[in-house]
Amino acid sequence: MKDMKDWNKIIIANWKMQLSLAEATEQAKEMKKLLAKSKAKTDTAVVVCPDFLSMTEVAKIFKGSDVILGAQDTYPGDIGAFTGEVSLKNLQSLGCEYVILGHSERRAMGETDEMINKKVKAVLERDMVPIVCVGETYEERKEEKTNFVVIHQIYEALKDIELKPGQKIILAYEPVWVIGSGQVIDANEADRMSQIVRQSYVDVMDGQNLEALSIIYGGSVTPDTVARFTSLQKIKGVLVGGASLEAKKFMEIVNKA
Ligand code: 13P
């Protein structure tokens, strides 16, 4: 796979189920154009995760460009009788390199820690990069369970993971109560949480493979707030929902990161 180098920044668009096929292809074309024209931050990974339906068309547009293709989920098994699922083999055949796993919107639909763990293993098996999302709900934060929840989610997602040399893992801290809310957490809190995420990773990996880890932040990130997070020492990038749906706005985030 072409993308195993150490990126300075990682900026990821999660288009969720927000765009029609026509809109997705239009935004993809625009993004490719804008990225080619931008002051070319060649050390920034720009990853776009469209929905599965748009994936084939978007893949054709991104082919040969600097935009990297990612997926919003996958199934932890190879080609087979799994109605409604999309295999990593097919995703990879389109050039997909990153896969979002355990997003809070999927956890809310019943995705279990055990399933997320299987998916992380399957993604690594194919030398792709898992983007594992963790984060607490508003209730959990109110009950002062934030640290516990995040530590637990990381332990469960990365249980019995063995990394081969050169493999990467992204842990995305996304406070659930901030997603889509227009609010963002302050820099101190993001910094504190990034340390918890890092320490949990160190613990579960037994002190190994620290070089494989990148931590990113997600939750209502905009061009105005991105630098608050990417300027923190332990935060390498952002995972963007709403503000990634318009190529121009997303590229502003890329350029300000
Ligand atoms: P928003 O940027 O819309 O808050 O979404 C964040 C998110 O869930 C990215 O995965």
Side-chain angles (χ1 to χ4, degrees), residues 12 14 16 18 100 103-105 133 174 178-182 218-221 239-244:
I12 304 171
N14 177 6
K16 306 191 179 182
Q18 302 276 25
I100 296 175
H103 192 282
S104 58
E105 287 151 13
C133 301
E174 297 204 296
V178 171
I179 292 175
S181 71
S220 294
V221 173
L239 179 53
V240 190
S244 75

Side-chain angles (χ1 to χ4, degrees), residues 49-227:
C49 307
D51 69 1
F52 288 133
L53 187 72
S54 312
M55 189 78 95
T56 324
E57 289 305 312
V58 170
K60 282 186 212 155
I61 296 164
F62 289 162
K63 198 160 189 222
S65 81
D66 286 330
V67 190
I68 302 168
L69 191 63
Q72 297 178 17
D73 191 27
T74 189
Y75 188 77
D78 244 320
I79 300 290
F82 304 108
T83 304
E85 298 295 341
V86 176
S87 72
L88 282 165
K89 188 175 179 184
N90 273 347
L91 291 175
Q92 205 166 27
S93 75
L94 293 178
C96 177
E97 297 178 32
Y98 288 71
V99 187
I100 296 175
L101 299 173
H103 192 282
S104 58
E105 287 151 13
R106 296 214 58 82
R107 291 181 192 261
M109 290 174 214
E111 175 107 323
T112 61
D113 285 324
E114 193 189 355
M115 192 54 146
I116 295 165
N117 179 247
K118 282 189 184 151
K119 290 180 179 183
V120 174
K121 287 175 181 158
V123 167
L124 289 169
E125 191 65 34
R126 289 207 159 260
D127 277 340
M128 295 162 87
V129 183
I131 304 162
V132 182
C133 301
V134 298
E136 79 290 355
T137 62
Y138 184 65
E139 288 68 33
E140 287 161 345
R141 177 161 282 258
K142 258 197 331 203
E143 290 165 18
E144 299 187 5
K145 288 186 186 152
T146 299
N147 298 3
F148 170 81
V149 168
V150 168
I151 293 166
H152 182 76
Q153 287 174 340
I154 293 172
Y155 263 71
E156 293 297 318
L158 303 187
K159 203 151 68 181
D160 305 323
I161 297 288
E162 280 179 30
L163 293 177
K164 287 183 255 161
Q167 288 191 318
K168 302 279 179 212
I169 290 188
I170 298 175
L171 289 176
Y173 171 61
E174 297 204 296
V176 181
W177 51 283
V178 171
I179 292 175
S181 71
Q183 307 171 255
V184 278
I185 59 171
D186 65 30
N188 285 343
E189 183 57 6
D191 191 41
R192 190 186 77 78
M193 288 311 298
S194 68
Q195 292 187 38
I196 288 184
V197 168
R198 187 175 187 275
Q199 189 59 51
S200 308
Y201 176 88
V202 169
D203 291 345
V204 71
M205 300 299 277
D206 231 356
Q208 304 293 306
N209 305 114
L210 193 52
E211 74 293 343
L213 173 68
S214 296
I215 300 171
I216 62 175
Y217 168 82
S220 294
V221 173
T222 64
D224 291 338
T225 57
V226 60

Side-chain angles (χ1 to χ4, degrees), residues 11-31:
I11 312 298
I12 304 171
N14 177 6
W15 282 353
K16 306 191 179 182
M17 201 178 73
Q18 302 276 25
L19 300 175
S20 68
L21 176 57
E23 288 165 343
T25 51
E26 192 189 318
Q27 293 307 320
K29 282 180 194 158
E30 184 71 11
M31 214 171 266

